[in-house]
Amino acid sequence: MLNNITLGQYFPVDSPVHRLDPRTKILLTVALMVAIFVCKGFAGFGAIFLFILLCVRLAKLKLRFVLRGIKPIAVIVLLTFVLNLFLQSGGRVLWHWWIITITVDGLRTAVFMAIRLLMLVMGTQLLTLTTSPIALTDGLESLFKPLSKIGFPAHELAMMMSIALRFIPTLIDETNKITQAQKARGADFESGNLIRRAKAMLPLLVPLFVSAFRRADELAMAMEARCYRGGSGRTKMKPLKYKKRDLCAVGAYLAVLGAVLVLNIFKIGVL
Amino acid sequence: MPISVKDLTYTYNPGTPFETRALDGISLTINDGEFVGIIGHTGSGKSTFIQHLNALIKPTSGQVLVDGEDINESKEKAALRMRVGLVFQYPEYQLFEETVLKDVSFGPKNMGLSEEEATQSAKWALEKVGLGERYYGRSPFELSGGQKRRCAVAGVLAMHPEVLILDEPAAGLDPVGRREILDIIRAIHSEGTTVIMVSHSMDDVARLCERVIVLEKGKVALDGSCAEVFGQVEKLSAMGLTLPQAALLRDRLNKRGFDLPESIYTIEALSQALTEKLKTR
C-alpha cells in the first residue's frame, strides 16, 4: 500500500533532464508553479502540460510513473473540485435540486482548480524524480548561501532536508516490515471503526518511532565519527556549474511562460 | 499440518522498471515435525518465500496449501497466521507494549482469548524462552539484545503455532545470545513443532536442521537431507555459498588425499571418521 508514494523518490536514469544543474531545476520548478498560478485558461494549461510532457519524455520517465504520484493527493483534488462545484455561482444554471445548484461558472472553476492542482503536483514531481537527494541538497544550499550572511542556516537546513528525504524510503520499508510482523501476530489493521483502527495502529507506530530515533542516533554518531562540523569551509567534490543545457532549459520555460502570458492577454481559452 | 507449495511465483513491482521476479516456480512439501533449513544468497528469495507460507504475501501465481487447503482462498487469514507462526528477521523491532508480559500476550489476545487466558499463554511462552517472572513487568525496551529477541520469539510462540518459521533468528546476536536462541528453537522442535529456519550460518543449519532447501534466484537449487546437500561442494560454491566448517575441513582433507565420505558435515562425525582413518594408517 505504501509502495505507491513516489514523492521524494529519485528515478535513477541518465538523461538531459537529470544532468541539468539542480539549481536550474529548483528555480524552474518554482517558476513553473508561478506560471501555473498566472495561467488563466485551459489553453495555457495545455501549453504547460505539453512542457511537462516534454520534460517527462526527455527525462526518460514513464508518464504512468509521474501519474502515480497523483494518487496520494487525489482526495484533495476531489474535495477542491466538489467544493468549487457547489459553492461557486454565476452563469447558466445546469442543475438544481433542493439547496444544491450547479452553474456553468461553478463547473468551470471546479475543473480549472482541479487541473491546477494536478499540474502543480506533476510539475514538482519532475524535480524529485529527476534529481537525486544529494544533488537537491547541493542545489538548495547553493541557492540559500547568500542568506547565510544574515544568519540563515543554509547548510544545516539543506542537510536536514536531505536526511529527511533520504529516510523516506527507509521508513516506508520499515513500516511495511513492521506491518507484516504484527500481522503475523494476528494484528488487524483493516476492520473495525475509526477508533478501533486508530488503536490498531499503535503496534505499528511505537516500533516505528523507536526505530526512527535509533536511526537518528546512529546517524548522528556516524556523522560525528567522520568529523562532521557543519558547512563553514567545507569544499565540494563536484562543485556546481551552470552549463549550456541549463540555458536551453530556461529558454524552453520562458517560451511556455510567454505562451501563457500571450494567451492570458488575448483571452484565448480564458475563463 | 503439512505445507505444500505448488509452482509458486512472485514478482515484485510488476510493470515498473523495478520489476524483479523473486520466486520462480517453487514446488515443495514440508511435512509435520520436520526441521527445515532454508539457505541461499542474499536476494535469493528466502524471506519472500516464507512470507507466502502464512499468506502475508499473495503469490503472483501458484498455490500454497496448508492442510490441503489453498490459504489465499481462505477468509480466515488471521487464524491461519496463528497456526503458522512467523518470526521475522530482527523481531525485536516489533516490540511495542509497556511491559514484556503485555507484549507477549498481544498475539493470544488477537486470537480472541480472554485477558486471563492470554496472560496464561504469554507466561507459558516466556518460560519457554527463559524469561522468568521478574521480567514480566519490565519494559521490553530495557532488555538486552538477546533478551529482546527471545521476548519477540515468545510473542509468536504464545499463539501455540503448529509450524514455526524463523527468519535469521540468530542474526546480530553475540555468541551467548546465539546459542540461547538456537537451543530454544531446538527445544521447541523436539516438542513436536514443525520448524522452518532461514539462515546464513551453515553451521547453525548443519547443527539443527534435518532437511536443507537451497534457493537460488527464486528457484529451488537443492533440496535434501543435510548430508545430501552439504556433499555437493561444487554446486554450493558455484552459488557463492560456503559449507559448514566441518564439511569444509572434510573437503580440504579429501583434496589432500584423505578419503572421507561426502556425507560428513558435523564436527562429531568428522572427528570420528578422522580418528578411524588415522588409526588404520
Side-chain angles (χ1 to χ4, degrees):
Chain A
M1 62 170 175
L2 293 167
N3 286 338
N4 305 333
I5 301 173
T6 52
L7 217 73
Q9 248 180 21
Y10 174 52
F11 189 82
V13 283
D14 186 35
S15 83
V17 182
H18 284 71
R19 266 174 281 153
L20 281 177
D21 190 297
R23 289 172 295 182
T24 314
K25 280 190 272 188
I26 294 167
L27 291 177
L28 281 187
T29 307
V30 177
L32 189 66
M33 285 161 89
V34 171
I36 291 169
F37 277 111
V38 164
C39 181
K40 281 184 192 153
F42 294 108
F45 277 147
I48 294 170
F49 188 63
L50 280 179
F51 178 69
I52 292 177
L53 275 187
L54 181 76
C55 291
V56 169
R57 197 59 204 267
L58 276 175
K60 295 179 187 162
L61 298 170
K62 280 188 187 134
L63 192 60
R64 191 152 39 96
F65 215 72
V66 183
L67 290 179
R68 205 188 294 171
I70 291 174
K71 255 194 226 164
I73 65 139
V75 180
I76 302 174
V77 174
L78 204 72
L79 199 72
T80 317
F81 181 81
V82 171
L83 283 181
N84 275 300
L85 188 63
F86 293 141
L87 298 180
Q88 198 79 10
S89 58
R92 199 159 56 84
V93 174
L94 287 175
W95 194 62
H96 183 81
W97 178 73
W98 193 36
I99 52 163
I100 301 166
T101 315
I102 294 175
T103 63
V104 175
D105 279 10
L107 186 63
R108 247 195 226 143
T109 321
V111 174
F112 183 80
M113 286 298 174
I115 293 181
R116 183 185 264 180
L117 267 177
L118 291 177
M119 290 280 176
L120 279 176
V121 175
M122 285 202 294
T124 41
Q125 275 236 322
L126 274 178
L127 176 68
T128 45
L129 279 168
T130 62
T131 318
S132 74
I134 296 173
L136 205 58
T137 328
D138 275 0
L140 281 175
E141 193 183 343
S142 162
L143 284 174
F144 282 119
K145 199 141 213 183
L147 290 178
S148 62
K149 288 207 178 69
I150 55 163
F152 183 79
H155 173 81
E156 284 73 14
L157 273 185
M159 179 59 88
M160 269 154 63
M161 229 159 123
S162 83
I163 290 174
L165 279 174
R166 156 70 186 75
F167 277 96
I168 289 174
T170 312
L171 288 178
I172 289 176
D173 270 1
E174 192 109 341
T175 313
N176 280 339
K177 259 185 217 154
I178 299 169
T179 311
Q180 296 289 68
Q182 304 297 28
K183 269 191 192 167
R185 294 213 278 166
D188 182 5
F189 297 113
E190 276 116 30
S191 60
N193 57 28
L194 205 63
I195 295 170
R196 237 192 95 164
R197 259 194 245 188
K199 256 188 177 168
M201 293 307 266
L202 206 64
L204 187 63
L205 290 178
V206 173
L208 194 63
F209 270 95
V210 169
S211 101
F213 281 118
R214 183 176 42 81
R215 270 178 208 287
D217 210 31
E218 280 168 8
L219 183 69
M221 199 76 97
M223 283 168 80
E224 269 188 10
R226 285 156 80 178
C227 306
Y228 176 77
R229 56 182 181 86
S232 59
R234 200 176 172 87
T235 54
K236 291 241 156 47
M237 190 157 114
K238 292 178 188 163
L240 295 173
K241 255 194 203 127
Y242 288 116
K243 301 240 171 65
K244 214 172 166 187
R245 52 174 166 262
D246 295 301
L247 213 61
C248 296
V250 173
Y253 166 75
L254 286 179
V256 174
L257 184 67
V260 169
L261 289 178
V262 167
L263 288 169
N264 274 354
I265 291 166
F266 293 101
K267 302 212 188 277
I268 302 171
V270 171
L271 290 182
Chain B
M1 202 178 69
I3 299 180
S4 231
V5 173
K6 281 190 187 145
D7 208 21
L8 189 66
T9 300
Y10 185 75
T11 313
Y12 274 110
N13 305 310
T16 71
F18 305 117
E19 179 172 306
T20 33
R21 181 165 278 200
L23 297 177
D24 193 356
I26 291 187
S27 294
L28 52 87
T29 299
I30 289 158
N31 295 310
D32 284 352
E34 275 192 309
F35 198 136
V36 183
I38 298 181
I39 57 178
H41 219 263
T42 310
S44 59
K46 298 167 300 202
S47 297
T48 313
F49 175 66
I50 55 170
Q51 286 181 59
H52 277 89
L53 299 183
N54 68 353
L56 280 173
I57 299 183
K58 200 169 185 285
T60 308
S61 72
Q63 285 181 308
V64 181
L65 307 172
V66 172
D67 246 352
E69 200 187 334
D70 189 335
I71 57 172
N72 291 298
E73 302 284 310
S74 128
K75 295 231 153 57
E76 305 278 303
K77 290 216 172 68
L80 167 92
R81 283 177 193 143
M82 288 151 194
R83 290 167 72 202
V84 181
L86 177 56
V87 179
F88 274 82
Q89 196 169 8
Y90 301 113
E92 54 272 28
Y93 295 162
Q94 75 191 28
L95 301 172
F96 71 98
E97 270 288 10
E98 287 158 51
T99 69
V100 168
L101 193 62
K102 271 194 194 167
D103 198 280
V104 177
S105 23
F106 177 65
K109 261 190 228 156
N110 287 331
M111 288 170 73
L113 296 185
S114 70
E115 191 80 33
E116 201 177 319
E117 286 170 314
T119 310
Q120 214 58 41
S121 256
K123 283 181 179 166
W124 173 84
L126 280 169
E127 193 186 322
K128 281 270 175 268
V129 300
L131 292 175
E133 221 177 313
R134 63 202 180 94
Y135 291 101
Y136 291 174
R138 289 215 202 159
S139 158
F141 299 104
E142 286 171 7
L143 303 177
S144 75
Q147 287 168 340
K148 272 187 199 164
R149 181 76 53 95
R150 283 187 275 149
C151 176
V153 172
V156 173
L157 272 185
M159 300 186 294
H160 297 274
E162 292 163 60
V163 179
L164 183 66
I165 307 172
L166 303 113
D167 191 354
E168 295 270 4
L173 292 181
D174 57 29
V176 179
R178 235 185 142 78
R179 206 182 51 232
E180 280 169 350
I181 198 91
L182 292 175
D183 284 344
I184 290 164
I185 296 167
R186 195 204 300 260
I188 293 163
H189 174 249
S190 71
E191 281 164 24
T193 309
T194 311
V195 178
I196 301 169
M197 181 172 88
V198 171
S199 183
H200 268 120
S201 160
M202 299 299 150
D203 286 288
D204 292 348
V205 171
R207 217 171 39 237
L208 293 166
C209 303
E210 295 151 356
R211 175 178 166 195
V212 186
I213 294 167
V214 185
L215 291 186
E216 159 87 339
K217 292 186 185 131
K219 290 187 169 130
V220 177
L222 292 168
D223 182 358
S225 68
C226 277
E228 281 162 14
V229 170
F230 290 131
Q232 315 238 25
V233 184
E234 264 105 60
K235 253 193 168 172
L236 285 175
S237 63
M239 287 183 263
L241 297 172
T242 55
L243 288 168
Q245 303 264 322
L248 212 57
L249 182 58
R250 175 254 299 161
D251 189 51
R252 289 209 183 143
L253 287 170
N254 279 354
K255 280 194 181 127
R256 298 260 178 122
F258 281 78
D259 190 25
L260 299 162
E262 294 273 275
S263 60
I264 289 176
Y265 62 91
T266 60
I267 294 175
E268 292 76 21
L270 180 68
S271 65
Q272 202 180 353
L274 209 52
T275 335
E276 270 166 40
K277 267 270 163 352
L278 291 172
K279 263 185 203 159
T280 55
R281 226 146 94 150

